[in-house]
């Protein structure tokens, strides 16, 4: 339905829904341009009849909600939003109103970076607190996460008594693409765009996660300062650069609003070459004294506007659809397009996500399609221009065999992804070996991703089984290796042969089988050969397996590639028997929930202790929960346990009850 036909109540409800998805959940369903159009329409309706404005209208709030897990920070200087404009006429109108209010205004223009706005506070030149914008008045204390952003100085070049600056934290394109590769490897949902990836990273309760995300920042305003008087915005930005901040680029100071808008247009033309996302350009009055004279509304300053760029979309012919096999075995269809210039680069390929997306959009080979870059990075096909069809277009069918290794492909019930089932598929090889050698699997110390990459590059391994054929002389001349490291690695690989069957089952990378599942399967069947011979019905009888997991296991061992790996592991002397037994039954019939950070145990270690003693571990608290094991920074799970009257213990008590 067109937003023009919505009532004001319906429009508010729709905007509130998408605000929740965007600001709180970091999972937008529409583009910024579509959201801006809805907000613009609501403002028009309220301007036409001010009596319709309500205190809870989306136009009366500045930002998003406070998330649980961070302390609140009240901003002494409100972190306001900007009025958005969408045309040259609106920019000129802003200039005309400004010129009537103050004499001879000068303007500066800035990139409007698509990230997360933050406040940084320094005392005597030392970074003491960082917070998110929140709703403009109250934000979240994210100091520890901001300390991981390398472009934020922890100590300034001058010991300013006190200064508070405002900046925009963002994720560069390179970091975003690398992050989504990691998400794919971990079989986690990829982020939709860099803005939401940056927001999600900055809101991590574990600052170590934020540290690995490659965030960056541009500082663009002085909120408060002691010990120095500044006259203009351009002077303030230059001073911030002197202090050591990474500041927003300001090309020039403009005497007229027309000159400023010409720079905005230049920024729009160059946006594809920036290496990070912008969704517009900002025009500001340069004089700080004139800003004071112009003042602000309750939400926005009168001395600045944000010109928003629409998402660039163009037509192209879809020449073919090819299939790429990812590192997790997922087959992704990609559109091969007639080259088209889009957002500063030439686009000849675009993602089609999965077969459901192709069917939903009714995409055929030969179609004329509308293409845009999601977040100005990843090209995607938006829709088919069906009126331009000639009748020669062809349907696309996902292959039933992997185009890389020839193994059978499967699509499990309830999933959009089609997957390769080949354990020796070259497309998945690095990921499979990394998984096999991990701590919860065969735990081969010293065999990290970098070393595995070098072994693959040198052609020394082509499957996990090849690890057991490696010799010291094969590796001692590898980059950053040496004889001692090679000797230690060979010893660690040899040691892994004696790991329990539970570790091996998990290490094989069978879909839906985790570390705990491997343990239950090992204890139930006793040997790998017994598991291989078991039917789906027999496997489904094992606790927490279920029909989908059972079918996945049977399908895995039905593949010739996977049986080949098993036989090579057998020949290498890898243990195929279960040696661990349930230690006691002290937790029989009990369900535990783990929350917070335990002093000494990792989550999987605590879970193993519980399961070894007959208990179950659940991810959520309910009336069926027997006990909650709580560590530091325990959150809502602890609150719910207390509300339900469920017993709460610490790590020491868990170990005592398990007789450890």
């Amino acid at each position: 339905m067109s937003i023009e036909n919505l009532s004001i109540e319906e429009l508010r409800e729709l905007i509130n829904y998408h605000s929740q998805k965007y600001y709180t959940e970091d999972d937008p369903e529409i583009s910024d341009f579509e959201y801006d159009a809805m907000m613009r329409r609501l403002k028009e309706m309220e301007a036409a009849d001010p009596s319709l404005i309500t205190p809870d209208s989306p136009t009366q709030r500045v930002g998003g909600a406070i998330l649980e897990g961070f302390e609140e920070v009240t901003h002494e200087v409100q972190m306001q939003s900007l009025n958005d404009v969408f045309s040259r006429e609106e920019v000129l109108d802003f200039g005309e109103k400004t010129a009537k209010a103050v004499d001879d205004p000068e303007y500066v223009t800035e990139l409007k970076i698509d990230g997360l706005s933050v406040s940084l506070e320094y005392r005597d030149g030392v970074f003491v607190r960082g917070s998110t914008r929140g709703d403009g008045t109250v934000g979240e204390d994210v100091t520890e996460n901001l300390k991981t952003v390398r472009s934020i100085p922890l100590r300034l070049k001058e010991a300013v008594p006190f200064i508070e600056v405002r900046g925009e934290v963002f994720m560069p394109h390179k970091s975003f693409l690398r992050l989504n590769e990691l998400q794919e490897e971990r079989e986690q949902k990829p982020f939709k765009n860099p803005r939401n990836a940056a927001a999600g990273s900055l809101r991590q309760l574990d600052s170590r996660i934020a540290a690995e995300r490659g965030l960056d920042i541009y500082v663009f305003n002085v909120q408060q300062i002691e010990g120095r008087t500044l006259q203009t915005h351009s002077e303030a930005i230059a001073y911030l650069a002197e202090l050591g901040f990474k500041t927003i680029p300001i090309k020039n100071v403009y005497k007229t609003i027309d000159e400023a808008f010409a720079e905005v247009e230049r920024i729009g033309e160059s946006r594809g070459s920036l290496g990070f996302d912008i969704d517009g350009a900002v025009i500001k009055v340069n004089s700080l004294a004139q800003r004071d004279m112009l003042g602000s509304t309750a939400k926005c300053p009168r001395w600045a506007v944000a010109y928003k760029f629409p998402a660039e979309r163009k037509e192209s012919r879809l020449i073919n659809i090819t299939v790429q096999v990812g590192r997790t075995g997922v087959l992704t269809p990609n559109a091969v397009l007639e080259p088209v210039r889009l957002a500063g680069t030439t686009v000849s390929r675009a993602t089609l996500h999965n077969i459901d997306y192709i069917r939903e959009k009714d995409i055929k080979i030969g179609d004329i399609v509308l293409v845009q870059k999601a977040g100005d990075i990843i090209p995607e096909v938006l829709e088919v221009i069906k009126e331009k069809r000639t009748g020669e277009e062809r349907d696309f069918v996902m292959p039933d065999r992997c185009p890389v290794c020839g193994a059978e492909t499967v699509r499990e019930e309830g999933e959009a992804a089609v997957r390769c089932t080949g354990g020796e598929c070259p497309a998945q090889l690095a990921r499979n070996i990394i998984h096999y050698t991990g701590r919860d699997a065969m735990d081969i110390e010293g065999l990290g991703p970098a070393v595995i990459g070098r072994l693959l590059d040198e052609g020394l391994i082509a499957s996990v089984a090849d690890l057991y054929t490696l010799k010291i002389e094969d590796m001692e001349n590898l980059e950053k290796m040496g004889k001692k490291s090679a000797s230690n690695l060979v010893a660690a690989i040899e040691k892994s042969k004696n790991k329990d069957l539970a570790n091996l089952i998990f290490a094989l990378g069978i879909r839906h089988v985790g570390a705990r599942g491997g343990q239950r399967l090992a204890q139930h069947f006793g040997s790998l050969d017994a598991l291989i011979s078991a039917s789906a019905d027999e496997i489904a009888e094992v606790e927490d397996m279920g029909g989908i997991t059972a079918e996945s296991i049977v399908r895995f061992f039905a593949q010739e590639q996977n049986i080949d790996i098993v036989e090579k592991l057998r020949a290498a002397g890898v243990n195929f028997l279960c040696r661990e037994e349930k230690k006691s039954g002290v937790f029989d019939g009990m369900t535990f929930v783990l929350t917070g950070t335990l002093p000494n145990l990792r989550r999987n270690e605590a879970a193993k202790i519980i399961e070894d003693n007959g208990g179950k571990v659940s991810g959520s608290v309910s009336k069926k929960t027997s006990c909650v094991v709580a560590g530091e920074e325990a959150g809502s799970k602890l609150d719910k346990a207390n509300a339900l009257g469920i017993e709460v213990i610490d790590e020491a008590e868990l170990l005592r009850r398990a007789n450890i």
Side-chain angles (χ1 to χ4, degrees):
M1 178 185 293
S2 169
I3 60 173
E4 300 295 328
N5 298 325
L6 295 177
S7 69
I8 195 165
E9 291 81 8
E10 290 172 331
L11 188 54
R12 283 178 182 147
E13 184 176 349
L14 188 61
I15 291 173
N16 283 331
Y17 170 80
H18 287 295
S19 293
Q20 174 77 14
K21 299 295 291 183
Y22 188 96
Y23 291 105
T24 303
E25 300 179 21
D26 297 324
D27 188 26
E29 295 181 350
I30 60 174
S31 70
D32 288 356
F33 198 73
E34 291 169 305
Y35 180 89
D36 290 338
M38 290 192 294
M39 184 65 80
R40 186 174 175 81
R41 172 60 179 160
L42 180 58
K43 289 178 180 178
E44 290 172 352
M45 295 172 76
E46 291 181 347
D49 186 355
S51 67
L52 296 176
I53 299 175
T54 60
D56 62 347
S57 171
T59 63
Q60 304 304 299
R61 55 183 293 180
V62 178
I66 302 298
L67 302 181
E68 291 183 6
F70 296 104
E71 291 186 6
E72 292 186 357
V73 174
T74 300
H75 300 304
E76 192 170 328
V77 176
Q78 186 182 15
M79 296 177 70
Q80 294 185 311
S81 60
L82 295 176
N83 281 315
D84 294 332
V85 293
F86 301 86
S87 67
R88 181 175 184 274
E89 289 70 28
E90 289 177 286
V91 172
L92 297 181
D93 182 60
F94 161 71
E96 183 179 336
K97 290 178 180 177
T98 301
K100 287 180 180 179
V102 297
D103 295 330
D104 301 320
E106 293 180 335
Y107 303 96
V108 290
T109 62
E110 298 173 352
L111 307 174
K112 188 177 185 301
I113 297 172
D114 198 12
L116 191 71
S117 196
V118 298
S119 159
L120 309 176
E121 298 175 54
Y122 292 77
R123 290 196 180 275
D124 298 321
V126 178
F127 180 49
V128 293
R129 185 167 70 173
S131 53
T132 63
R133 175 170 165 261
D135 64 2
T137 301
V138 179
E140 306 157 325
D141 188 329
V142 289
T143 305
E144 294 306 310
N145 285 344
L146 286 170
K147 284 181 178 179
T148 71
V149 181
R150 294 185 178 273
S151 48
I152 294 177
L154 300 182
R155 181 182 293 272
L156 303 180
K157 294 180 180 179
E158 180 183 321
V160 185
F162 176 76
I163 186 170
E164 179 189 1
V165 300
R166 181 171 174 179
E168 195 82 1
V169 171
F170 63 95
M171 183 171 287
H173 292 170
K174 289 190 296 185
S175 299
F176 175 69
L177 295 172
R178 185 169 62 247
L179 173 60
N180 271 353
E181 286 178 358
L182 287 173
Q183 293 292 101
E184 180 189 350
E185 288 179 10
R186 296 165 179 168
E187 299 193 4
Q188 296 174 353
K189 183 180 179 182
F191 289 93
K192 291 188 175 181
N193 56 56
R195 190 270 169 198
N196 294 96
S201 302
L202 206 56
R203 290 168 174 163
Q204 291 290 331
L205 292 175
D206 186 346
S207 61
R208 291 172 296 182
I209 297 176
E212 68 181 21
R213 296 288 176 83
L215 298 176
D216 206 342
I217 190 172
Y218 276 117
V219 172
F220 60 83
N221 201 58
V222 176
Q223 299 290 92
Q224 303 181 75
I225 188 170
E226 296 176 7
R228 176 142 181 169
T229 301
L230 301 167
Q231 304 296 326
T232 65
H233 181 67
S234 54
E235 177 194 355
I237 294 298
Y239 177 59
L240 292 176
E242 291 174 9
L243 291 177
F245 290 106
K246 183 174 182 177
T247 54
I248 198 80
I250 293 181
K251 187 175 181 180
N252 211 337
V253 176
Y254 302 98
K255 297 289 186 181
T256 69
I257 195 69
D258 284 295
E259 292 175 349
F261 185 70
E263 174 62 13
V264 168
E265 291 183 308
R266 188 200 66 79
I267 290 172
E269 292 170 359
S270 66
R271 61 192 289 202
S273 61
L274 291 173
F276 53 87
D277 278 2
I278 62 172
D279 60 354
V282 180
I283 300 176
K284 297 178 177 179
V285 171
N286 191 33
S287 167
L288 302 184
Q290 288 182 341
R291 290 185 182 185
D292 289 339
M293 294 171 62
L294 290 164
S296 302
T297 67
K299 306 178 297 299
C300 305
R302 295 190 178 93
W303 42 263
V305 290
Y307 181 86
K308 301 296 286 289
F309 298 134
E312 188 177 5
R313 301 175 176 181
K314 289 188 178 178
E315 291 184 11
S316 178
R317 183 177 298 280
L318 196 158
I319 301 170
N320 197 8
I321 297 177
T322 60
V323 175
Q324 179 180 355
V325 183
R327 281 182 271 188
T328 61
V330 174
L331 276 63
T332 302
N334 291 294
V336 180
L337 304 166
E338 288 183 351
V340 60
R341 192 75 178 168
L342 192 63
T345 60
T346 299
V347 171
S348 59
R349 291 183 176 272
T351 179
L352 293 173
H353 304 292
N354 52 57
I355 189 63
D356 287 347
Y357 185 86
I358 293 173
R359 290 169 178 165
E360 177 188 336
K361 300 285 186 181
D362 190 23
I363 297 171
K364 300 177 184 291
I365 297 171
D367 271 332
I368 300 296
V369 294
L370 194 62
V371 186
Q372 81 169 19
K373 281 188 176 181
D376 282 345
I377 304 180
I378 304 171
E380 63 178 351
V381 173
L382 292 178
E383 61 182 82
V384 175
I385 313 299
K386 293 184 179 179
E387 56 268 26
K388 293 189 177 183
R389 280 182 170 166
T390 64
E392 297 181 2
E393 294 79 14
R394 310 188 316 275
D395 288 329
F396 168 77
V397 179
M398 284 291 281
D400 57 7
R401 292 281 169 181
C402 173
V404 175
C405 72
E408 180 187 0
T409 62
V410 297
R411 179 182 179 180
E412 294 177 355
E413 186 177 348
E415 287 197 357
V418 175
R419 297 176 183 273
C420 167
T421 58
E424 294 181 306
C425 179
Q428 306 173 64
L429 188 54
R431 183 256 182 186
N432 289 346
I433 296 174
I434 291 169
H435 175 78
Y436 183 89
T437 60
R439 183 176 296 178
D440 292 333
M442 301 304 277
D443 193 18
I444 303 178
E445 188 175 352
L447 198 54
V451 176
I452 290 170
R454 290 197 288 273
L455 293 173
L456 288 168
D457 291 342
E458 294 295 325
L460 294 173
I461 56 174
S463 74
V464 296
D466 291 340
L467 294 172
Y468 298 99
T469 67
L470 290 171
K471 298 179 177 59
I472 295 173
E473 53 267 31
D474 293 333
M475 299 183 289
E476 61 182 339
N477 294 321
L478 292 178
E479 182 185 358
K480 298 181 181 180
M481 182 63 74
K483 189 166 185 176
K484 183 176 181 181
S485 295
S487 177
N488 291 339
L489 186 52
V490 168
I493 293 171
E494 183 67 23
K495 181 181 176 182
S496 74
K497 292 180 181 179
N498 295 316
K499 297 295 287 186
D500 190 71
L501 174 61
N503 299 85
L504 177 60
I505 293 173
F506 175 59
L508 289 173
I510 305 169
R511 181 100 176 121
H512 301 305
V513 177
R516 281 180 280 176
Q519 186 180 26
R520 292 192 174 105
L521 289 166
Q523 291 178 345
H524 182 89
F525 289 102
S527 73
L528 186 62
D529 291 319
L531 175 60
I532 293 172
S533 301
S535 67
D537 289 340
E538 290 171 331
I539 296 171
E541 293 176 0
V542 179
E543 185 178 8
D544 291 342
M545 283 300 106
I548 292 176
T549 303
E551 291 290 347
S552 177
I553 295 169
V554 170
R555 190 183 301 117
F556 180 88
F557 289 118
Q559 290 296 316
E560 185 178 341
Q561 290 182 28
N562 300 330
I563 291 298
D564 180 58
I565 290 175
V566 167
E567 292 308 316
K568 287 178 179 178
L569 293 175
R570 188 196 306 276
V574 175
N575 172 54
F576 279 22
L577 301 176
C578 179
R579 293 170 176 165
E580 292 188 4
E581 297 181 2
K582 192 166 67 174
K583 294 180 180 178
S584 73
V586 293
F587 297 147
D588 279 347
M590 297 181 67
T591 300
F592 288 75
V593 171
L594 303 168
T595 183
T597 303
L598 301 179
N600 302 298
L601 296 173
R602 291 182 292 126
R603 286 278 183 98
N604 63 326
E605 292 171 337
K608 188 174 186 302
I609 289 171
I610 291 167
E611 291 168 349
D612 282 347
N613 290 279
K616 293 182 181 180
V617 177
S618 173
S620 59
V621 176
S622 69
K623 292 180 180 179
K624 296 181 180 179
T625 303
S626 309
C627 186
V628 170
V629 182
E632 291 185 9
E633 298 183 1
S636 58
K637 292 178 183 178
L638 177 59
D639 295 336
K640 187 171 183 180
N642 289 329
L644 293 174
I646 294 168
E647 182 183 19
V648 177
I649 63 173
D650 59 12
E651 178 190 284
E653 178 62 16
L654 174 68
L655 295 174
R656 188 192 68 77
R657 295 185 184 185
N659 296 314
I660 296 175

